[in-house]
Amino acid sequence: MSSPDEWQRQEHIRLATEAARKGRWARRGRRAWGLLRSRPGQLISVGVVGALIGGLLTAWQTTGLRWSDENETVCWGTLPKKDAEALFRSELSVRAEEIRPDYGNDSSPDAQGACRLVALRDGSPVAHIDFRLHQLDGRYDPQATGWLADFLSPLAVPFGKGFVGMTSENRTWVALPSGCSDGGLSDGPAVVDASWGRLPMSSRDKPRWRDAVARATVRLANGAMRALHCDGTLPLPGKLPATPREKDTEPRRLCGVDGLALAPLSKDERYQLEGTLLAHSPGTARVCGVGLGAAATRARLRLVTIEDPRLAQVLADLGAAFGRREFDKRGGSSAGPGLALYQTSCQTGLVVFLVQDEGTRMDDLPRRLLPRYAAAEAERLGCGPVKVELPR
């Protein structure tokens, strides 16, 4: 029987093979295989952050956290022993696998890096948390759409004033300040995000654990800024707000917007849209999920306002792929199957309003809801009156 380390190595090789076969990632997959074959004395193990890396395979440096020094740190020199171990149950041992933050090559110069914390019981992995530094890109990154759906969650809460980011019981992310890592291929921000499989803590510990992951994510963001030679640091967040609670859907005041109505939907169609969660991180995004079902993170209908200009640019770039676009004096609109988007300029810069159907199968719903939603949200933000006309 293979040891856990050998099993993990075999799994990494399998994933490397898949990555090398995937279209635009083929070049990077071949480069990863070159790293695997070279410098055997320096590369202790090779791994990936699964789907988070989106097929981009790079070499991992693995550090077993057998603490001989209370001041020893992992994950880009940011997490001390107590902070890394506090993210898992006390009876588990912890190992770190990391890629130091750096800029990419000439063909992909955007910032990138990763750190995986693996919890083990008797030498076998039972849980993990993946931290990743990457650049959001709405033009060339096929994973951007999925990232926005996963990390702009109606369960999220804000970090606080001065942050662009959100944290929830499922995902956490924070953007590096404007000017840090700019100049690559993407107009979007560089972000450090955290993702995990099953919760390493019991459900009663979720709020405390969520806050601990949020602080760890900010620590890694500061470590990325140091590695990328950016000025300044982000303050560690204090106690974060409570997770938004589900409320009954108001069919004539959808997502708290006066005059936004679900009519003329049938009773059965309205039943699909029962239950609403609303999250707002000022300066980042307002996210409303409607029709929650069993998985509150994947609502059947999403109404999203992107308030951060760099994040809005990612959505605007994605909007170019939705099909025909319509422009007016104030902005531009895009529409596709199950999605409608409007972008305009406010005092703070670019803003995007989005309505997305993720399960009702009513393709006309986003088109009917977006004009009123965008007009109301533009008024809330002080953007001036907007009138949305979607392309036919």
Side-chain angles (χ1 to χ4, degrees), residues 10-26 28-30 33 48 50-51 54-57:
Q10 293 173 3
E11 178 69 1
H12 292 160
I13 292 173
R14 182 185 68 79
L15 289 167
T17 303
E18 294 177 0
R21 291 173 179 169
K22 288 184 179 179
R24 70 184 290 268
W25 300 108
R28 293 177 178 177
R30 287 193 295 270
W33 277 113
V48 294
L56 171 59
L57 184 71

Side-chain angles (χ1 to χ4, degrees), residues 326-333 342-344 386-389:
E326 193 80 30
F327 292 93
D328 56 36
K329 294 180 180 179
R330 292 299 316 278
S333 60
Y342 183 77
Q343 63 186 73
T344 189
V386 300
K387 184 178 180 180
V388 178
E389 294 186 8

Side-chain angles (χ1 to χ4, degrees), residues 304-305 340-342 344 351-355 370 373-374 377-378 381 383:
V304 183
T305 300
L341 175 153
Y342 183 77
T344 189
V351 176
V352 166
F353 311 104
L354 172 73
V355 179
L370 181 66
Y373 176 71
E377 282 291 275
L381 294 173
C383 307

Side-chain angles (χ1 to χ4, degrees), residues 53-340:
I53 297 296
L56 171 59
L57 184 71
T58 50
W60 289 87
Q61 178 183 355
T62 303
T63 307
L65 304 189
R66 296 170 182 168
W67 306 101
S68 58
D69 182 352
E70 287 291 326
N71 297 320
E72 188 175 352
T73 59
V74 294
C75 289
W76 317 336
T78 63
L79 289 183
K81 167 187 177 179
K82 60 181 179 64
D83 294 317
E85 292 183 334
L87 299 178
F88 300 95
R89 297 189 185 98
S90 58
E91 72 272 15
L92 301 177
S93 60
V94 182
R95 184 179 70 214
E97 301 171 331
E98 55 187 298
I99 307 168
R100 299 289 296 177
D102 202 353
Y103 294 102
N105 52 39
D106 291 340
S107 62
S108 180
D110 294 332
Q112 53 191 276
C115 181
R116 167 175 283 185
L117 293 177
V118 183
L120 303 101
R121 180 183 289 116
D122 299 327
S124 298
V126 294
H128 68 270
I129 304 173
D130 291 318
F131 298 94
R132 182 174 58 140
L133 165 68
H134 61 112
Q135 203 96 18
L136 292 178
D137 187 346
R139 294 174 297 175
Y140 304 113
D141 185 0
Q143 305 296 325
T145 303
W147 188 95
L148 291 163
D150 288 337
F151 285 85
L152 295 182
S153 167
L155 283 167
V157 301
F159 279 92
K161 188 176 181 180
F163 288 95
V164 174
M166 306 177 82
T167 182
S168 72
E169 297 170 359
N170 305 90
R171 302 284 189 271
T172 294
W173 68 277
V174 63
L176 303 191
S178 179
C180 184
S181 83
D182 289 355
L185 293 178
S186 173
D187 294 323
V191 301
V192 173
D193 59 39
S195 180
W196 48 92
R198 60 190 178 195
L199 283 171
M201 305 289 282
S202 64
S203 59
R204 66 177 178 272
D205 292 323
K206 280 182 181 179
R208 180 179 67 81
W209 187 79
R210 177 204 65 183
D211 294 1
V213 174
R215 285 191 291 273
T217 304
V218 174
R219 288 185 186 276
L220 265 75
N222 287 329
M225 291 168 64
R226 287 193 299 271
L228 299 176
H229 307 293
C230 302
D231 295 331
T233 58
L234 297 171
L236 292 181
K239 184 178 180 180
L240 299 177
T243 300
R245 297 297 179 185
E246 181 181 349
K247 296 182 179 180
D248 292 339
T249 298
E250 299 179 81
R252 292 179 176 82
R253 194 173 181 270
L254 190 64
C255 293
V257 177
D258 290 330
L260 189 61
L262 287 175
L265 298 185
S266 68
K267 185 176 180 180
D268 290 341
E269 288 173 331
R270 290 189 186 184
Y271 179 77
Q272 293 186 59
L273 297 174
E274 186 52 48
T276 296
L277 277 171
L278 176 60
H280 187 203
S281 179
T284 300
R286 181 186 190 270
V287 184
C288 181
V290 187
L292 303 174
T297 56
R298 283 291 189 177
R300 292 188 177 96
L301 182 69
R302 286 161 46 89
L303 290 81
V304 183
T305 300
I306 306 296
E307 301 177 13
D308 175 67
R310 293 181 297 159
L311 195 60
Q313 186 61 56
V314 178
L315 261 296
D317 290 339
L318 285 170
F322 296 153
R324 186 179 171 190
R325 309 179 75 183
E326 193 80 30
F327 292 93
D328 56 36
K329 294 180 180 179
R330 292 299 316 278
S333 60
S334 306
L339 185 145

